[in-house]
Amino acid sequence: MAKSVLLLLKVMMILLFLVWVSIWVMKPTQIWTRKWKEAEDAARTTVFGSNGLDFVVYSFPIIVSIMIGFVYLHFKPKEQRRRQRRSLISSLSNPIIVNSFVGVLTAMEVLVMFMFIMFLAWTFYIRVSNDFKKMMPSRSLMKLSIWQYKTFRMATRCGLLAEACLALLLFPIIRGMAVFRLFGIQFEASVRYHIWLGTMMLSFATLHGGGTLFIWGIKNMLQDEMLQWQKTGRIYLAGEISLATGLVIWITSLPQVRRKRFEIFYYTHHLYIIFLVFFLFHTGDRHFYMVLPAIFIFVIERLLRIIQSTPETCILSARIFPLKAIEVILPKEPRLKYAPTSIIFIKIPSISKFQWHSFSIASSSLVDDDTMSIIIKCDGSWTNSLYDMIQGMPVAGPDQRAQRCIPVLVEGPYGPTSTEFLSKYDSLLLVAGGIGVTPFLSILQEISSSRRNNFPTKIQLVYIMKKSNSISILNSVLPLLTSKNTKEFNFKLKIYVTQETQSGTTLNEMIREFSQVQTINFETGSTSYAPNGYGSSVMKAAIIGFTSFLFFVLLVTFSNVFLPRPKKASSKEKNASSLVDLILTFAFFLSIVISIIVFSIMRSKSLRKQNQLTEFKHKGKEMQASSLQSNRNLDDHELYFGARPNFHDIFSKFPNETGGSYVGVLVCGPEKMKESVASICRLSSQGSITSTRTKKPYFNFHSLNFTL
C-alpha cells in the first residue's frame, strides 16, 4: 500500500512538472499565442479574470508539483532496507568533464545543461523568426532600417531568455524547501547552479538592455525613451533600474569580492527585492506569472527561516584546537534528527547583527541526543572575532567555566532527507583536505554507532593536512583509530602532512603531542530554548498550499474590486500596467503575511509545550593520550610527511586494502583536490584503473562543498 502511494505521488509530481515544462516550450509558438489570446479574452469577462487564468496555468502546476514532492519526501523511507545495486542514474552522477574553468561536471549535469540551452535556442529562434516574417515595425519604429529593426527585435527577445533563467534562479538557493533534495542534490551543492543561472540571466538582460539603448541612441531617441514610465505596456525606466541593480549584485558576488569582502557580497545581495519589484513593473503581470513560483516559495521559505531561527540560545562549550580552530557545542532538541553531512547557519549578534555563516555538523544525532557540534577554522574576520572572544573569556573552577554565555541564533540543520546516499554502497573512500574533514566525522560516528546492517562497513579516510597539529580535529573518531578492525567495521586512515618533514614520527606520537585541547564551558543563564529544526515536509507542503490558495483568492478579489470588468470578450480596453502590478504585489504580500502570522502562532504554541531546558547534558570528549602509548592498532594506519597523495596509487590499492565492488567516493576540500579525485573516478568508470586480473570496483564520485 505504501509503495503504491509513493508511486502515485511520484507520477503526479512528474506529470505536473512536464505540464509546466510543456507550457514553456509551447509559449513561443503562434499556435499557443492565438489560443492563449482567445482564452484570456474569454476569462476577462468571468469572475476569475485574466489574472486568475495566468496564475492557474503558468504558476499553479509547478507549485502543486513541489507540494506533492514534499509529501513524497515525508512518506519516503528514511533508509534503504537493502543495498541497491549500481544503476544508470548512479552512472550519470559520475564526472565526465573535469577542468579548472568549469570544475567537475557529471553526465547528468551536462545533459540537463544541454537540454536547457536547446530550450533557450528554440525560444529565441521561434520568436525571432516570427518577428522577421512579419517585418512590419511598430509605428514608433517606422524609421528603422532593416538591420536596425532586426537588431532591436533580437535584443527584445534576449529579455525572454533572461526571464527563463530567472524562473529557475531562486530554486537552487531555497534551503529548507530545497526542491533539489528530491533528486538527492543538497543545498550547498546546488548553489553553483544559482551562480550559473544568474550569470546567464544577467548576460541576456545586458544584451536586451544594451541592444535597446543602442538602437535608441542611433535614432536619437535615448532621452525620450529612457525616462518614460508608460501607463500601459512595458515600463522602460523600471527595466533600467532592475538591470542596474542586477549588475551590482552580480559584480559584488564575483569570487574576488565575495572571498575578500564578504560583507559587501552579503549586503548587496539583499538588493534582490528591488530587482524583482522593478522586474515586475517592467515586464508586466503576464510575464511575472512565469517566474512567480520560485519567487513565491523563496519568500515563504525565507520568512519561515527567520521565524525558526529567531529564538536565541547559548553556546554550551567550546574546545580550542592547536591549529587555531574551535569546536563549538550547541544545544538541540532531542527529537531533532539529522543525516550526516548536514549543515547549520549560525549568527552571533555580539560579532555581527546581520551575518549568517554556514558550517558542517561534525557530530551525529545517533550519538549526541541533546547537543550538536561544529568545527570552525578561524581564518577570516568573523571567525577570528569568535576565536578571540572565546579564548579571551575568563574562566574559573575545576570545570573551566566562563561566567557568562555567548548568545547565538541557529538556523537549520539542512541536509539529506535520509542516509540512502551512504547505505547504497559496499565501501566508502573519504578524501578530506584540512577543515574539509568535518562532514566525514559525522559520517564515521553515524556508521560506527548505528546498529543497522545496511551501512557500508569498509571505510578508508585519506586526510591531507598542511601541519601535523590538524590531527587534533580527529578527536571525536579516535576510538575508531584504536579499535581493532572486525568484519562488522573495517576502518583505515591515511594521513598526508604536506608542509612538514619529520622522519620517524609515528601516528601514536603525533596524537600524543597534540592531545592538549583546552575546553571552556559556558553559563547558559536562563536560556531554555534548544533548536528543534525546520519542520516536517508535510508542514511545508501545507504552508505552500495554504498561501497559494490565499493568494489566488486575494488576487481574484482585488482584480474584481479595482479593475473594471469588460462587458465583451473582444473589448480592447486596457488597464494601467502599474495598477495591475500593484494589485498583484499587494495580493502576494498580504497572502504571505497572513500565512506567516498563522505559522508563528502555531509555532509559539509548540514551543510552549516543549520541555523547558533547565540543564544541558553535555559530556566533553577529551583525548586520552595515555591510552595510546601501548596501542598497536594504530600501526594499521599510514602516515606520510612532506608528500601529497598519489590518488592513482590509492585507487589502485583500494580493492586489496579495503575492498568492495560499489564504492562511494566523497570528497571535501580545495577545488584542485576535488578535480584530481574526480579525474581518477572518471577513468575508473571507464575501467582503466585497476588490473584486469581482479574484479574492478566502481567508484561513484560525490563532492561536498568546502565553502558556500
Side-chain angles (χ1 to χ4, degrees):
M1 183 65 181
K3 290 183 178 180
S4 301
V5 173
L6 287 174
L7 179 61
L8 177 62
L9 290 173
K10 185 182 289 187
V11 171
M12 292 172 60
M13 178 177 57
I14 293 174
L15 286 177
L16 285 169
F17 175 74
L18 291 176
V19 168
W20 188 64
V21 172
S22 300
I23 292 172
W24 274 98
V25 173
M26 291 296 297
K27 195 169 181 283
T29 63
Q30 289 290 339
I31 297 175
W32 178 271
T33 302
R34 185 173 60 255
K35 294 293 184 182
W36 184 249
K37 187 178 183 304
E38 295 173 359
E40 274 196 325
D41 289 340
R44 289 173 65 191
T45 60
T46 67
V47 67
F48 297 107
S50 59
N51 281 327
L53 178 67
D54 289 339
F55 176 73
V56 169
V57 174
Y58 289 141
S59 303
F60 202 61
I62 188 64
I63 291 177
V64 176
S65 178
I66 292 171
M67 289 170 54
I68 295 173
F70 284 124
V71 176
Y72 173 82
L73 286 177
H74 178 79
F75 290 105
K76 183 182 178 182
K78 302 303 178 185
E79 59 182 78
Q80 291 293 326
R81 295 179 181 177
R82 57 184 178 181
R83 185 163 290 135
Q84 294 179 325
R85 293 291 90 191
R86 180 163 62 93
S87 62
L88 175 63
I89 299 298
S90 63
S91 301
L92 291 175
S93 66
N94 246 9
I96 61 170
I97 298 177
V98 181
N99 60 58
S100 57
F101 180 69
V102 297
V104 180
L105 294 180
T106 65
M108 180 64 75
E109 288 174 331
V110 172
L111 178 62
V112 173
M113 287 172 60
F114 174 77
M115 293 172 63
F116 184 65
I117 291 173
M118 291 300 295
F119 160 73
L120 294 178
W122 156 263
T123 300
F124 186 76
Y125 170 76
I126 294 296
R127 291 288 192 182
V128 170
S129 60
N130 288 335
D131 291 339
F132 289 178
K133 287 177 183 177
K134 296 177 182 178
M135 203 61 76
M136 293 178 63
S138 61
R139 189 171 300 174
S140 60
L141 301 175
M142 288 296 289
K143 296 181 180 179
L144 293 181
S145 63
I146 296 299
W147 76 267
Q148 290 172 348
Y149 174 74
K150 288 184 175 181
T151 302
F152 185 82
R153 297 312 299 169
M154 286 191 292
T156 301
R157 297 314 181 186
C158 282
L160 295 177
L161 305 186
E163 176 187 309
C165 296
L166 178 59
L168 302 175
L169 179 66
L170 297 177
F171 281 126
I173 57 171
I174 298 175
R175 299 175 190 171
M177 295 184 175
V179 294
F180 283 87
R181 294 168 63 194
L182 294 169
F183 309 102
I185 302 173
Q186 300 312 311
F187 162 73
E188 68 274 14
S190 63
V191 169
R192 67 173 181 169
Y193 306 147
H194 171 74
I195 296 173
W196 295 346
L197 288 167
T199 301
M200 292 175 66
M201 181 194 71
L202 266 300
S203 299
F204 291 130
T206 302
L207 290 173
H208 168 64
T212 304
L213 294 175
F214 173 70
I215 298 299
W216 286 348
I218 290 178
K219 305 306 295 183
N220 296 319
M221 301 164 55
L222 203 58
Q223 293 181 347
D224 298 331
E225 300 287 350
M226 274 191 67
L227 303 178
Q228 279 198 39
W229 191 278
Q230 290 82 355
K231 291 184 178 180
T232 59
R234 304 286 181 268
I235 300 175
Y236 300 145
L237 181 59
E240 294 152 15
I241 295 174
S242 182
L243 176 58
T245 306
L247 289 173
V248 170
I249 295 174
W250 182 78
I251 291 172
T252 55
S253 65
L254 293 173
Q256 296 84 343
V257 179
R258 186 179 73 249
R259 293 171 184 169
K260 295 181 180 179
R261 295 288 187 271
F262 179 81
E263 294 82 0
I264 296 176
F265 157 77
Y266 180 81
Y267 294 125
T268 54
H269 243 62
H270 287 78
L271 294 174
Y272 71 85
I273 300 174
I274 297 175
F275 171 80
L276 293 175
V277 169
F278 283 98
F279 171 83
L280 167 61
F281 282 105
H282 173 61
T283 60
D285 58 309
R286 293 181 181 178
H287 289 271
F288 194 73
Y289 286 112
M290 297 296 292
V291 303
L292 179 63
I295 299 172
F296 194 79
I297 295 175
F298 174 80
V299 173
I300 295 175
E301 192 261 356
R302 184 73 180 90
L303 294 174
L304 291 181
R305 286 196 283 117
I306 292 175
I307 295 172
Q308 183 255 333
S309 61
T310 296
E312 279 189 354
T313 186
C314 283
I315 296 176
L316 298 181
S317 63
R319 307 175 67 247
I320 303 176
F321 295 112
L323 69 157
K324 200 178 181 183
I326 53 176
E327 180 179 11
V328 175
I329 292 86
L330 301 164
K332 80 170 183 68
E333 217 277 330
R335 290 173 296 179
L336 173 61
K337 302 298 180 181
Y338 52 84
T341 72
S342 294
I343 64 171
I344 60 172
F345 287 76
I346 67 171
K347 179 175 74 172
I348 300 179
S350 56
I351 298 178
S352 173
K353 295 185 180 298
F354 302 102
Q355 289 187 35
W356 290 86
H357 292 260
S358 62
F359 300 97
S360 297
I361 301 178
S363 56
S364 167
S365 57
L366 290 182
V367 178
D368 302 306
D369 285 334
D370 44 24
T371 63
M372 56 183 173
S373 64
I374 55 176
I375 299 178
I376 303 172
K377 180 68 180 299
C378 304
D379 55 2
S381 58
W382 189 92
T383 52
N384 277 324
S385 298
L386 177 60
Y387 182 86
D388 295 338
M389 179 187 298
I390 292 175
Q391 191 179 48
M393 193 164 290
V395 295
D399 61 346
Q400 293 290 292
R401 185 170 296 277
Q403 297 303 311
R404 66 183 183 89
C405 73
I406 300 179
V408 59
L409 285 82
V410 180
E411 180 190 311
Y414 306 114
T417 56
S418 69
T419 55
E420 180 183 346
F421 74 106
L422 295 175
S423 58
K424 64 183 179 181
Y425 296 114
D426 301 321
S427 308
L428 290 178
L429 174 58
L430 312 177
V431 183
I435 198 65
V437 75
T438 303
F440 299 147
L441 302 180
S442 178
I443 290 176
L444 292 171
Q445 292 180 77
E446 184 91 4
I447 293 177
S448 63
S449 62
S450 175
R451 296 181 180 179
R452 290 173 284 183
N453 57 9
N454 60 340
F455 274 141
T457 57
K458 301 174 182 178
I459 304 174
Q460 184 175 134
L461 171 61
V462 179
Y463 186 20
I464 303 102
M465 60 183 74
K466 293 180 180 179
K467 303 290 184 180
S468 54
N469 56 10
S470 295
I471 190 69
S472 57
I473 294 180
L474 298 180
N475 176 41
S476 60
V477 296
L478 187 59
L480 301 182
L481 299 179
T482 58
S483 61
K484 188 176 181 180
N485 288 330
T486 62
K487 185 178 181 181
E488 289 74 24
F489 189 80
N490 186 303
F491 178 61
K492 184 176 183 62
L493 173 67
K494 293 183 178 182
I495 294 180
Y496 293 83
V497 185
T498 59
Q499 295 184 2
E500 291 180 359
T501 54
Q502 299 180 16
S503 58
T505 302
T506 64
L507 181 59
N508 197 339
E509 294 170 343
M510 195 166 78
I511 291 177
R512 282 191 283 112
E513 181 180 356
F514 298 105
S515 62
Q516 300 302 318
V517 178
Q518 181 185 2
T519 301
I520 300 176
N521 299 303
F522 297 96
E523 289 289 344
T524 57
S526 58
T527 301
S528 59
Y529 173 72
N532 57 1
Y534 193 76
S536 68
S537 297
V538 171
M539 182 271 293
K540 298 170 188 175
I543 292 174
I544 294 175
F546 174 74
T547 311
S548 303
F549 176 76
L550 190 59
F551 170 73
F552 178 74
V553 172
L554 292 173
L555 180 65
V556 171
T557 303
F558 293 154
S559 297
N560 280 277
V561 172
F562 298 104
L563 298 178
R565 188 190 305 176
K567 297 180 180 179
K568 297 181 179 180
S570 59
S571 176
K572 296 184 179 180
E573 295 180 6
K574 290 186 178 181
N575 297 303
S577 299
S578 299
L579 178 59
V580 177
D581 297 340
L582 285 173
I583 288 175
L584 192 157
T585 304
F586 188 66
F588 178 84
F589 174 78
L590 192 58
S591 62
I592 295 289
V593 169
I594 294 174
S595 298
I596 294 303
I597 291 174
V598 172
F599 175 77
S600 300
I601 294 173
M602 293 173 59
R603 180 172 171 79
S604 62
K605 290 181 179 180
S606 175
L607 289 178
R608 285 195 212 103
K609 294 179 181 179
Q610 180 180 315
N611 295 329
Q612 294 298 310
L613 210 57
T614 56
E615 180 182 358
F616 297 112
K617 297 179 181 179
H618 168 56
K619 297 181 180 180
K621 300 175 183 177
E622 298 300 329
M623 279 186 148
Q624 301 297 328
S626 58
S627 65
L628 301 178
Q629 292 178 2
S630 59
N631 199 309
R632 296 181 180 179
N633 292 329
L634 288 175
D635 296 337
D636 297 333
H637 307 291
E638 300 177 15
L639 175 63
Y640 303 93
F641 283 95
R644 295 186 179 276
N646 184 330
F647 289 115
H648 191 286
D649 186 55
I650 290 173
F651 276 71
S652 298
K653 294 180 179 179
F654 189 86
N656 296 326
E657 293 179 341
T658 304
S661 60
Y662 189 25
V663 184
V665 181
L666 281 69
V667 187
C668 186
E671 290 301 318
K672 288 186 178 180
M673 187 187 77
K674 288 183 183 180
E675 292 166 10
S676 298
V677 177
S679 298
I680 302 296
C681 287
R682 181 183 60 183
L683 293 174
S684 72
S685 64
Q686 300 170 358
S688 58
I689 289 295
T690 54
S691 171
T692 55
R693 298 178 182 177
T694 61
K695 186 178 180 180
K696 301 174 183 178
Y698 185 87
F699 295 96
N700 200 24
F701 179 84
H702 296 272
S703 173
L704 303 179
N705 266 25
F706 195 47
T707 55
L708 291 180

